[in-house]
Amino acid sequence: MTRLRPTATILAVSSRRSLALLSFAVLVLASCTSSASTSEGTPSDTVTAASKPGAVTDLRIDQPKVWSADPSKWQAVIRWSAPDTAPDHYEVVRNDKTIAKDVTGTSYVDTTAEPATHYRYRVEAVDASGVSGPPMNAATKTGTPPLSGARLDGKFLAVLSLTSSTLSGMGSGGERWVFGARCGSGPCDVSFSRGSSSTGTLKQTGANYAGTMSIPFHIGNCSGAAVNESVTIRLTVSDAAVVHGEWRATHITGTTHEYLSYSGCVPASADYSVKGSVQT
């Protein structure tokens, strides 16, 4: 007897397999759609980075070939080239402190720069929203005005070294000298004293100061008392720096010669070399 094949059972099994394959295909499609959505944020990040201002180029510092001793003429000019896309403005920083904001050109005149000083400048391009581009840096040391333009003024510690004397017992030592400039600014003749009151004048010629005055110095009279004697002082400014916004002498060198003659006393003289430094 011929047996019938279970056609219905085979169809049922086939249908279940088809449903399973269809479900798998839907899952794969859902997975692919989710991955594409996650990567959509990457291009926007790239656009933000690209919109940041570029760095300036060719940053340089121009200064006078010869610096004047006149503070009103002190300056340094900062120059640079703009990035490919012009920013809204530039910011200039000196020694980590902002000295100019909203600079619209490609140069800036630093009128607060001083001579004989190290400076580090930084310039950044800034867009309208305040975002800064990469910084560009440059460093320089400003020039030095001539010593002939230094103003001699204030208190100095003068160290006198005896070079010759007609008397025994004379020695070397230090004392306070005070110079008072006799003009409003710059170098000029100065008053000279060894204490609180003016005792004489030194004439200025370039970096040199000289004068002869009748004042008490180191030689006494026959009894050892202090008396006026002839004292010649010759000084030269050997170093200078910016002090209280002025180009001032900070070190001096020179000589002194003193002479005393009294009837009944032996004439006496003494010579010293001098080195002095300002006391601020």
Side-chain angles (χ1 to χ4, degrees):
M1 182 171 56
T2 303
R3 299 179 63 182
L4 295 175
R5 301 178 64 182
T7 303
T9 302
I10 292 173
L11 288 175
V13 172
S14 177
S15 297
R16 285 195 298 271
R17 288 179 179 175
S18 297
L19 287 173
L21 289 173
L22 180 60
S23 299
F24 177 75
V26 171
L27 287 174
V28 171
L29 180 59
S31 176
C32 292
T33 302
S34 175
S35 176
S37 175
T38 302
S39 64
E40 287 178 357
T42 303
S44 64
D45 294 338
T46 304
V47 171
T48 301
S51 65
K52 185 176 182 179
V56 304
T57 57
D58 302 323
L59 180 63
R60 59 196 182 277
I61 302 117
D62 295 335
Q63 57 174 304
K65 291 183 178 180
V66 178
W67 276 71
S68 170
D70 182 357
S72 67
K73 298 180 180 179
W74 293 348
Q75 66 176 34
V77 182
I78 319 306
R79 305 181 192 276
W80 61 90
S81 297
D84 293 337
T85 301
D88 181 73
H89 62 274
Y90 301 92
E91 181 174 346
V92 181
V93 178
R94 187 186 73 191
N95 292 356
D96 300 323
K97 182 179 179 180
T98 298
I99 59 173
K101 293 182 177 180
D102 302 325
V103 178
T104 55
T106 55
S107 66
Y108 174 75
V109 181
D110 182 5
T111 57
T112 63
E114 296 181 339
T117 306
H118 288 277
Y119 289 117
R120 301 184 312 278
Y121 288 95
R122 183 173 79 245
V123 176
E124 299 176 2
V126 185
D127 66 16
S129 63
V131 177
S132 299
M136 176 61 68
N137 300 277
T140 191
K141 181 181 179 181
T142 50
T144 303
L147 295 177
S148 59
R151 180 178 176 84
L152 179 59
D153 198 31
K155 300 175 183 178
F156 281 70
L157 174 62
V159 178
L160 283 67
S161 300
L162 185 68
T163 56
S164 67
S165 176
T166 61
L167 296 176
S168 60
M170 301 292 286
S172 304
E175 55 190 32
R176 188 183 72 170
W177 286 4
V178 180
F179 301 100
R182 293 188 166 177
C183 59
S185 62
C188 55
D189 296 348
V190 299
S191 63
F192 166 82
S193 69
R194 297 172 63 206
S196 59
S197 60
S198 176
T199 54
T201 299
L202 300 180
K203 296 289 185 179
Q204 179 256 341
T205 304
N208 301 311
Y209 294 79
T212 298
M213 57 203 78
S214 179
I215 59 174
F217 212 61
H218 300 122
I219 300 174
N221 65 7
C222 296
S223 302
V227 292
N228 286 347
E229 54 188 290
S230 175
V231 179
T232 298
I233 299 176
R234 301 182 186 277
L235 301 173
T236 299
V237 176
S238 57
D239 200 6
V242 177
V243 180
H244 303 308
E246 290 185 306
W247 184 239
R248 289 194 179 188
T250 55
H251 292 83
I252 54 175
T253 59
T255 62
T256 69
H257 172 76
E258 58 179 322
Y259 176 79
L260 179 64
S261 177
Y262 275 91
S263 175
C265 293
V266 177
S269 65
D271 293 276
Y272 295 86
S273 64
V274 179
K275 290 184 178 180
S277 57
V278 70
Q279 295 179 304
T280 55

mmCIF file of all heavy atoms in Angstrom, residues 190-239:
data_model
loop_
_atom_site.group_PDB
_atom_site.id
_atom_site.type_symbol
_atom_site.label_atom_id
_atom_site.label_comp_id
_atom_site.label_asym_id
_atom_site.label_seq_id
_atom_site.Cartn_x
_atom_site.Cartn_y
_atom_site.Cartn_z
ATOM 1 N N VAL A 190 75.823 119.482 37.984
ATOM 2 C CA VAL A 190 75.248 118.948 39.219
ATOM 3 C C VAL A 190 75.894 119.600 40.427
ATOM 4 O O VAL A 190 77.056 120.014 40.399
ATOM 5 C CB VAL A 190 75.436 117.411 39.311
ATOM 6 C CG1 VAL A 190 74.737 116.710 38.157
ATOM 7 C CG2 VAL A 190 76.915 117.036 39.368
ATOM 8 N N SER A 191 75.105 119.717 41.486
ATOM 9 C CA SER A 191 75.668 120.090 42.779
ATOM 10 C C SER A 191 76.268 118.850 43.407
ATOM 11 O O SER A 191 75.838 117.722 43.134
ATOM 12 C CB SER A 191 74.587 120.691 43.679
ATOM 13 O OG SER A 191 73.574 119.713 43.940
ATOM 14 N N PHE A 192 77.281 119.059 44.250
ATOM 15 C CA PHE A 192 77.961 117.934 44.889
ATOM 16 C C PHE A 192 78.038 118.174 46.387
ATOM 17 O O PHE A 192 78.308 119.295 46.836
ATOM 18 C CB PHE A 192 79.379 117.782 44.339
ATOM 19 C CG PHE A 192 80.254 116.869 45.158
ATOM 20 C CD1 PHE A 192 80.184 115.493 44.989
ATOM 21 C CD2 PHE A 192 81.110 117.389 46.123
ATOM 22 C CE1 PHE A 192 80.968 114.643 45.754
ATOM 23 C CE2 PHE A 192 81.907 116.539 46.898
ATOM 24 C CZ PHE A 192 81.832 115.167 46.709
ATOM 25 N N SER A 193 77.777 117.146 47.154
ATOM 26 C CA SER A 193 77.947 117.241 48.604
ATOM 27 C C SER A 193 78.297 115.879 49.164
ATOM 28 O O SER A 193 78.037 114.843 48.545
ATOM 29 C CB SER A 193 76.679 117.783 49.263
ATOM 30 O OG SER A 193 75.634 116.824 49.170
ATOM 31 N N ARG A 194 78.891 115.915 50.354
ATOM 32 C CA ARG A 194 79.192 114.675 51.071
ATOM 33 C C ARG A 194 78.189 114.457 52.196
ATOM 34 O O ARG A 194 78.335 113.557 52.986
ATOM 35 C CB ARG A 194 80.604 114.737 51.644
ATOM 36 C CG ARG A 194 81.694 114.843 50.587
ATOM 37 C CD ARG A 194 83.036 115.100 51.224
ATOM 38 N NE ARG A 194 83.449 113.997 52.079
ATOM 39 C CZ ARG A 194 84.275 114.128 53.120
ATOM 40 N NH1 ARG A 194 84.713 115.332 53.463
ATOM 41 N NH2 ARG A 194 84.630 113.081 53.824
ATOM 42 N N GLY A 195 77.165 115.273 52.220
ATOM 43 C CA GLY A 195 76.157 115.163 53.266
ATOM 44 C C GLY A 195 74.848 115.750 52.794
ATOM 45 O O GLY A 195 74.459 115.576 51.648
ATOM 46 N N SER A 196 74.212 116.499 53.668
ATOM 47 C CA SER A 196 72.875 117.004 53.354
ATOM 48 C C SER A 196 72.892 118.362 52.658
ATOM 49 O O SER A 196 71.897 118.752 52.055
ATOM 50 C CB SER A 196 72.046 117.103 54.638
ATOM 51 O OG SER A 196 72.693 117.965 55.571
ATOM 52 N N SER A 197 73.986 119.109 52.742
ATOM 53 C CA SER A 197 74.013 120.445 52.145
ATOM 54 C C SER A 197 74.936 120.480 50.939
ATOM 55 O O SER A 197 75.941 119.781 50.880
ATOM 56 C CB SER A 197 74.464 121.480 53.177
ATOM 57 O OG SER A 197 75.774 121.170 53.640
ATOM 58 N N SER A 198 74.602 121.336 49.972
ATOM 59 C CA SER A 198 75.405 121.464 48.766
ATOM 60 C C SER A 198 76.728 122.137 49.093
ATOM 61 O O SER A 198 76.775 123.116 49.850
ATOM 62 C CB SER A 198 74.641 122.277 47.718
ATOM 63 O OG SER A 198 75.442 122.481 46.578
ATOM 64 N N THR A 199 77.800 121.622 48.534
ATOM 65 C CA THR A 199 79.128 122.171 48.829
ATOM 66 C C THR A 199 79.889 122.601 47.588
ATOM 67 O O THR A 199 80.933 123.218 47.696
ATOM 68 C CB THR A 199 79.988 121.128 49.573
ATOM 69 O OG1 THR A 199 80.025 119.916 48.809
ATOM 70 C CG2 THR A 199 79.419 120.840 50.938
ATOM 71 N N GLY A 200 79.404 122.281 46.416
ATOM 72 C CA GLY A 200 80.124 122.670 45.214
ATOM 73 C C GLY A 200 79.378 122.240 43.972
ATOM 74 O O GLY A 200 78.296 121.662 44.043
ATOM 75 N N THR A 201 79.985 122.542 42.801
ATOM 76 C CA THR A 201 79.361 122.235 41.525
ATOM 77 C C THR A 201 80.334 121.497 40.619
ATOM 78 O O THR A 201 81.526 121.840 40.558
ATOM 79 C CB THR A 201 78.905 123.528 40.820
ATOM 80 O OG1 THR A 201 77.949 124.200 41.643
ATOM 81 C CG2 THR A 201 78.269 123.219 39.472
ATOM 82 N N LEU A 202 79.808 120.491 39.906
ATOM 83 C CA LEU A 202 80.578 119.783 38.890
ATOM 84 C C LEU A 202 79.977 120.100 37.538
ATOM 85 O O LEU A 202 78.770 119.953 37.328
ATOM 86 C CB LEU A 202 80.551 118.270 39.137
ATOM 87 C CG LEU A 202 81.113 117.771 40.474
ATOM 88 C CD1 LEU A 202 80.996 116.249 40.555
ATOM 89 C CD2 LEU A 202 82.565 118.205 40.659
ATOM 90 N N LYS A 203 80.804 120.553 36.605
ATOM 91 C CA LYS A 203 80.355 120.882 35.261
ATOM 92 C C LYS A 203 80.265 119.618 34.418
ATOM 93 O O LYS A 203 81.157 118.760 34.464
ATOM 94 C CB LYS A 203 81.317 121.883 34.610
ATOM 95 C CG LYS A 203 81.371 123.238 35.300
ATOM 96 C CD LYS A 203 80.089 124.017 35.062
ATOM 97 C CE LYS A 203 80.194 125.430 35.645
ATOM 98 N NZ LYS A 203 78.968 126.228 35.407
ATOM 99 N N GLN A 204 79.190 119.506 33.647
ATOM 100 C CA GLN A 204 78.966 118.327 32.814
ATOM 101 C C GLN A 204 79.434 118.576 31.384
ATOM 102 O O GLN A 204 79.120 119.597 30.775
ATOM 103 C CB GLN A 204 77.476 117.959 32.820
ATOM 104 C CG GLN A 204 77.122 116.751 31.968
ATOM 105 C CD GLN A 204 76.456 117.121 30.643
ATOM 106 O OE1 GLN A 204 75.946 118.233 30.488
ATOM 107 N NE2 GLN A 204 76.465 116.195 29.698
ATOM 108 N N THR A 205 80.188 117.606 30.871
ATOM 109 C CA THR A 205 80.593 117.597 29.464
ATOM 110 C C THR A 205 80.438 116.166 28.964
ATOM 111 O O THR A 205 81.282 115.301 29.242
ATOM 112 C CB THR A 205 82.045 118.055 29.273
ATOM 113 O OG1 THR A 205 82.213 119.350 29.862
ATOM 114 C CG2 THR A 205 82.394 118.134 27.793
ATOM 115 N N GLY A 206 79.353 115.881 28.260
ATOM 116 C CA GLY A 206 79.085 114.503 27.841
ATOM 117 C C GLY A 206 78.901 113.618 29.058
ATOM 118 O O GLY A 206 78.083 113.904 29.942
ATOM 119 N N ALA A 207 79.693 112.534 29.135
ATOM 120 C CA ALA A 207 79.606 111.621 30.275
ATOM 121 C C ALA A 207 80.561 112.001 31.395
ATOM 122 O O ALA A 207 80.683 111.271 32.377
ATOM 123 C CB ALA A 207 79.908 110.200 29.810
ATOM 124 N N ASN A 208 81.223 113.158 31.275
ATOM 125 C CA ASN A 208 82.232 113.570 32.252
ATOM 126 C C ASN A 208 81.741 114.736 33.107
ATOM 127 O O ASN A 208 81.021 115.626 32.623
ATOM 128 C CB ASN A 208 83.519 113.973 31.537
ATOM 129 C CG ASN A 208 84.083 112.849 30.694
ATOM 130 O OD1 ASN A 208 84.227 111.720 31.166
ATOM 131 N ND2 ASN A 208 84.413 113.151 29.447
ATOM 132 N N TYR A 209 82.173 114.735 34.380
ATOM 133 C CA TYR A 209 81.831 115.782 35.336
ATOM 134 C C TYR A 209 83.103 116.175 36.074
ATOM 135 O O TYR A 209 83.853 115.303 36.549
ATOM 136 C CB TYR A 209 80.785 115.292 36.331
ATOM 137 C CG TYR A 209 79.441 114.990 35.693
ATOM 138 C CD1 TYR A 209 79.226 113.817 34.995
ATOM 139 C CD2 TYR A 209 78.394 115.907 35.775
ATOM 140 C CE1 TYR A 209 78.002 113.545 34.399
ATOM 141 C CE2 TYR A 209 77.169 115.653 35.186
ATOM 142 C CZ TYR A 209 76.984 114.466 34.494
ATOM 143 O OH TYR A 209 75.777 114.212 33.898
ATOM 144 N N ALA A 210 83.340 117.478 36.188
ATOM 145 C CA ALA A 210 84.571 117.924 36.833
ATOM 146 C C ALA A 210 84.353 119.271 37.503
ATOM 147 O O ALA A 210 83.536 120.092 37.054
ATOM 148 C CB ALA A 210 85.712 118.013 35.828
ATOM 149 N N GLY A 211 85.122 119.503 38.573
ATOM 150 C CA GLY A 211 85.050 120.785 39.256
ATOM 151 C C GLY A 211 86.049 120.855 40.384
ATOM 152 O O GLY A 211 86.488 119.826 40.915
ATOM 153 N N THR A 212 86.430 122.069 40.741
ATOM 154 C CA THR A 212 87.305 122.322 41.882
ATOM 155 C C THR A 212 86.546 123.198 42.855
ATOM 156 O O THR A 212 85.958 124.218 42.468
ATOM 157 C CB THR A 212 88.606 123.012 41.450
ATOM 158 O OG1 THR A 212 89.319 122.159 40.557
ATOM 159 C CG2 THR A 212 89.489 123.293 42.659
ATOM 160 N N MET A 213 86.547 122.814 44.106
ATOM 161 C CA MET A 213 85.757 123.534 45.105
ATOM 162 C C MET A 213 86.531 123.638 46.405
ATOM 163 O O MET A 213 87.496 122.888 46.648
ATOM 164 C CB MET A 213 84.414 122.835 45.320
ATOM 165 C CG MET A 213 84.539 121.384 45.742
ATOM 166 S SD MET A 213 83.064 120.395 45.358
ATOM 167 C CE MET A 213 83.289 120.124 43.604
ATOM 168 N N SER A 214 86.133 124.574 47.256
ATOM 169 C CA SER A 214 86.744 124.739 48.567
ATOM 170 C C SER A 214 85.785 124.180 49.603
ATOM 171 O O SER A 214 84.761 124.802 49.937
ATOM 172 C CB SER A 214 87.020 126.228 48.838
ATOM 173 O OG SER A 214 87.596 126.388 50.122
ATOM 174 N N ILE A 215 86.095 122.980 50.102
ATOM 175 C CA ILE A 215 85.199 122.277 51.025
ATOM 176 C C ILE A 215 86.028 121.473 52.022
ATOM 177 O O ILE A 215 87.201 121.144 51.770
ATOM 178 C CB ILE A 215 84.261 121.310 50.268
ATOM 179 C CG1 ILE A 215 85.078 120.265 49.478
ATOM 180 C CG2 ILE A 215 83.310 122.061 49.352
ATOM 181 C CD1 ILE A 215 84.250 119.186 48.818
ATOM 182 N N PRO A 216 85.470 121.128 53.160
ATOM 183 C CA PRO A 216 86.151 120.185 54.052
ATOM 184 C C PRO A 216 86.187 118.799 53.392
ATOM 185 O O PRO A 216 85.182 118.349 52.830
ATOM 186 C CB PRO A 216 85.281 120.174 55.301
ATOM 187 C CG PRO A 216 84.449 121.405 55.217
ATOM 188 C CD PRO A 216 84.229 121.635 53.758
ATOM 189 N N PHE A 217 87.361 118.162 53.454
ATOM 190 C CA PHE A 217 87.464 116.811 52.871
ATOM 191 C C PHE A 217 88.153 115.902 53.879
ATOM 192 O O PHE A 217 87.653 115.731 54.979
ATOM 193 C CB PHE A 217 88.187 116.899 51.517
ATOM 194 C CG PHE A 217 87.722 115.872 50.511
ATOM 195 C CD1 PHE A 217 86.408 115.843 50.068
ATOM 196 C CD2 PHE A 217 88.599 114.930 50.002
ATOM 197 C CE1 PHE A 217 85.973 114.901 49.142
ATOM 198 C CE2 PHE A 217 88.186 113.989 49.074
ATOM 199 C CZ PHE A 217 86.875 113.970 48.642
ATOM 200 N N HIS A 218 89.325 115.360 53.569
ATOM 201 C CA HIS A 218 89.938 114.383 54.479
ATOM 202 C C HIS A 218 91.129 114.930 55.261
ATOM 203 O O HIS A 218 91.505 114.357 56.283
ATOM 204 C CB HIS A 218 90.379 113.138 53.692
ATOM 205 C CG HIS A 218 89.261 112.445 53.000
ATOM 206 N ND1 HIS A 218 89.225 112.231 51.658
ATOM 207 C CD2 HIS A 218 88.091 111.943 53.469
ATOM 208 C CE1 HIS A 218 88.112 111.606 51.312
ATOM 209 N NE2 HIS A 218 87.393 111.437 52.406
ATOM 210 N N ILE A 219 91.748 115.983 54.769
ATOM 211 C CA ILE A 219 92.904 116.550 55.457
ATOM 212 C C ILE A 219 92.430 117.609 56.449
ATOM 213 O O ILE A 219 91.607 118.463 56.116
ATOM 214 C CB ILE A 219 93.893 117.173 54.453
ATOM 215 C CG1 ILE A 219 94.400 116.108 53.478
ATOM 216 C CG2 ILE A 219 95.072 117.808 55.176
ATOM 217 C CD1 ILE A 219 95.272 116.661 52.374
ATOM 218 N N GLY A 220 92.962 117.574 57.668
ATOM 219 C CA GLY A 220 92.624 118.575 58.674
ATOM 220 C C GLY A 220 93.720 119.623 58.795
ATOM 221 O O GLY A 220 94.762 119.535 58.124
ATOM 222 N N ASN A 221 93.501 120.615 59.657
ATOM 223 C CA ASN A 221 94.538 121.629 59.886
ATOM 224 C C ASN A 221 95.602 121.083 60.822
ATOM 225 O O ASN A 221 95.609 119.882 61.136
ATOM 226 C CB ASN A 221 93.912 122.922 60.404
ATOM 227 C CG ASN A 221 93.272 122.746 61.776
ATOM 228 O OD1 ASN A 221 93.391 121.696 62.412
ATOM 229 N ND2 ASN A 221 92.587 123.791 62.238
ATOM 230 N N CYS A 222 96.471 121.953 61.277
ATOM 231 C CA CYS A 222 97.579 121.506 62.123
ATOM 232 C C CYS A 222 97.097 120.821 63.398
ATOM 233 O O CYS A 222 97.802 119.987 63.979
ATOM 234 C CB CYS A 222 98.473 122.695 62.490
ATOM 235 S SG CYS A 222 99.274 123.446 61.052
ATOM 236 N N SER A 223 95.900 121.197 63.835
ATOM 237 C CA SER A 223 95.349 120.607 65.054
ATOM 238 C C SER A 223 94.445 119.411 64.754
ATOM 239 O O SER A 223 93.867 118.812 65.659
ATOM 240 C CB SER A 223 94.541 121.654 65.828
ATOM 241 O OG SER A 223 95.346 122.766 66.147
ATOM 242 N N GLY A 224 94.276 119.099 63.457
ATOM 243 C CA GLY A 224 93.438 117.974 63.081
ATOM 244 C C GLY A 224 91.986 118.326 62.870
ATOM 245 O O GLY A 224 91.162 117.441 62.614
ATOM 246 N N ALA A 225 91.632 119.612 62.971
ATOM 247 C CA ALA A 225 90.245 120.027 62.792
ATOM 248 C C ALA A 225 89.911 120.132 61.305
ATOM 249 O O ALA A 225 90.774 120.404 60.464
ATOM 250 C CB ALA A 225 90.007 121.359 63.473
ATOM 251 N N ALA A 226 88.650 119.929 60.971
ATOM 252 C CA ALA A 226 88.206 120.018 59.578
ATOM 253 C C ALA A 226 88.174 121.464 59.134
ATOM 254 O O ALA A 226 87.637 122.338 59.835
ATOM 255 C CB ALA A 226 86.829 119.394 59.423
ATOM 256 N N VAL A 227 88.753 121.720 57.956
ATOM 257 C CA VAL A 227 88.771 123.068 57.388
ATOM 258 C C VAL A 227 88.555 122.959 55.887
ATOM 259 O O VAL A 227 88.697 121.879 55.289
ATOM 260 C CB VAL A 227 90.116 123.778 57.668
ATOM 261 C CG1 VAL A 227 90.274 124.079 59.153
ATOM 262 C CG2 VAL A 227 91.278 122.943 57.151
ATOM 263 N N ASN A 228 88.253 124.089 55.273
ATOM 264 C CA ASN A 228 88.110 124.086 53.819
ATOM 265 C C ASN A 228 89.462 123.865 53.152
ATOM 266 O O ASN A 228 90.476 124.438 53.571
ATOM 267 C CB ASN A 228 87.518 125.413 53.335
ATOM 268 C CG ASN A 228 86.035 125.524 53.637
ATOM 269 O OD1 ASN A 228 85.390 124.541 53.982
ATOM 270 N ND2 ASN A 228 85.494 126.727 53.515
ATOM 271 N N GLU A 229 89.471 123.076 52.141
ATOM 272 C CA GLU A 229 90.686 122.824 51.368
ATOM 273 C C GLU A 229 90.313 122.784 49.900
ATOM 274 O O GLU A 229 89.124 122.739 49.542
ATOM 275 C CB GLU A 229 91.331 121.507 51.806
ATOM 276 C CG GLU A 229 90.359 120.328 51.762
ATOM 277 C CD GLU A 229 90.943 119.067 52.378
ATOM 278 O OE1 GLU A 229 91.861 118.507 51.757
ATOM 279 O OE2 GLU A 229 90.479 118.669 53.461
ATOM 280 N N SER A 230 91.284 122.810 49.047
ATOM 281 C CA SER A 230 91.026 122.759 47.612
ATOM 282 C C SER A 230 90.846 121.305 47.196
ATOM 283 O O SER A 230 91.741 120.481 47.383
ATOM 284 C CB SER A 230 92.187 123.390 46.844
ATOM 285 O OG SER A 230 91.988 123.242 45.452
ATOM 286 N N VAL A 231 89.673 121.001 46.634
ATOM 287 C CA VAL A 231 89.365 119.627 46.226
ATOM 288 C C VAL A 231 88.946 119.638 44.752
ATOM 289 O O VAL A 231 88.018 120.354 44.373
ATOM 290 C CB VAL A 231 88.234 119.027 47.078
ATOM 291 C CG1 VAL A 231 87.921 117.607 46.614
ATOM 292 C CG2 VAL A 231 88.596 119.042 48.544
ATOM 293 N N THR A 232 89.648 118.868 43.952
ATOM 294 C CA THR A 232 89.305 118.716 42.533
ATOM 295 C C THR A 232 88.754 117.314 42.311
ATOM 296 O O THR A 232 89.406 116.319 42.678
ATOM 297 C CB THR A 232 90.534 118.935 41.634
ATOM 298 O OG1 THR A 232 91.016 120.271 41.818
ATOM 299 C CG2 THR A 232 90.171 118.739 40.166
ATOM 300 N N ILE A 233 87.571 117.247 41.749
ATOM 301 C CA ILE A 233 86.917 115.961 41.498
ATOM 302 C C ILE A 233 86.676 115.816 39.998
ATOM 303 O O ILE A 233 86.168 116.728 39.348
ATOM 304 C CB ILE A 233 85.569 115.860 42.244
ATOM 305 C CG1 ILE A 233 85.794 115.980 43.753
ATOM 306 C CG2 ILE A 233 84.850 114.551 41.909
ATOM 307 C CD1 ILE A 233 84.516 115.977 44.572
ATOM 308 N N ARG A 234 87.050 114.666 39.448
ATOM 309 C CA ARG A 234 86.798 114.351 38.039
ATOM 310 C C ARG A 234 86.122 112.981 37.974
ATOM 311 O O ARG A 234 86.675 111.993 38.463
ATOM 312 C CB ARG A 234 88.101 114.324 37.241
ATOM 313 C CG ARG A 234 88.858 115.643 37.281
ATOM 314 C CD ARG A 234 90.135 115.583 36.435
ATOM 315 N NE ARG A 234 90.916 116.786 36.589
ATOM 316 C CZ ARG A 234 90.707 117.926 35.929
ATOM 317 N NH1 ARG A 234 89.700 117.997 35.046
ATOM 318 N NH2 ARG A 234 91.476 118.984 36.122
ATOM 319 N N LEU A 235 84.944 112.952 37.381
ATOM 320 C CA LEU A 235 84.155 111.722 37.339
ATOM 321 C C LEU A 235 83.691 111.434 35.918
ATOM 322 O O LEU A 235 83.498 112.346 35.117
ATOM 323 C CB LEU A 235 82.932 111.831 38.250
ATOM 324 C CG LEU A 235 83.187 112.104 39.737
ATOM 325 C CD1 LEU A 235 81.869 112.347 40.453
ATOM 326 C CD2 LEU A 235 83.959 110.952 40.373
ATOM 327 N N THR A 236 83.458 110.145 35.644
ATOM 328 C CA THR A 236 82.907 109.705 34.365
ATOM 329 C C THR A 236 81.799 108.700 34.638
ATOM 330 O O THR A 236 81.962 107.790 35.470
ATOM 331 C CB THR A 236 83.981 109.047 33.484
ATOM 332 O OG1 THR A 236 85.007 110.010 33.209
ATOM 333 C CG2 THR A 236 83.391 108.553 32.166
ATOM 334 N N VAL A 237 80.677 108.844 33.961
ATOM 335 C CA VAL A 237 79.595 107.858 34.076
ATOM 336 C C VAL A 237 80.047 106.583 33.375
ATOM 337 O O VAL A 237 80.344 106.597 32.181
ATOM 338 C CB VAL A 237 78.296 108.388 33.442
ATOM 339 C CG1 VAL A 237 77.210 107.315 33.483
ATOM 340 C CG2 VAL A 237 77.834 109.654 34.151
ATOM 341 N N SER A 238 80.117 105.487 34.116
ATOM 342 C CA SER A 238 80.595 104.219 33.553
ATOM 343 C C SER A 238 79.473 103.230 33.251
ATOM 344 O O SER A 238 79.685 102.249 32.535
ATOM 345 C CB SER A 238 81.605 103.565 34.506
ATOM 346 O OG SER A 238 81.027 103.354 35.784
ATOM 347 N N ASP A 239 78.279 103.471 33.781
ATOM 348 C CA ASP A 239 77.135 102.601 33.483
ATOM 349 C C ASP A 239 75.858 103.371 33.788
ATOM 350 O O ASP A 239 75.855 104.309 34.596
ATOM 351 C CB ASP A 239 77.187 101.314 34.304
ATOM 352 C CG ASP A 239 76.334 100.205 33.715
ATOM 353 O OD1 ASP A 239 75.794 100.403 32.601
ATOM 354 O OD2 ASP A 239 76.199 99.144 34.352
#
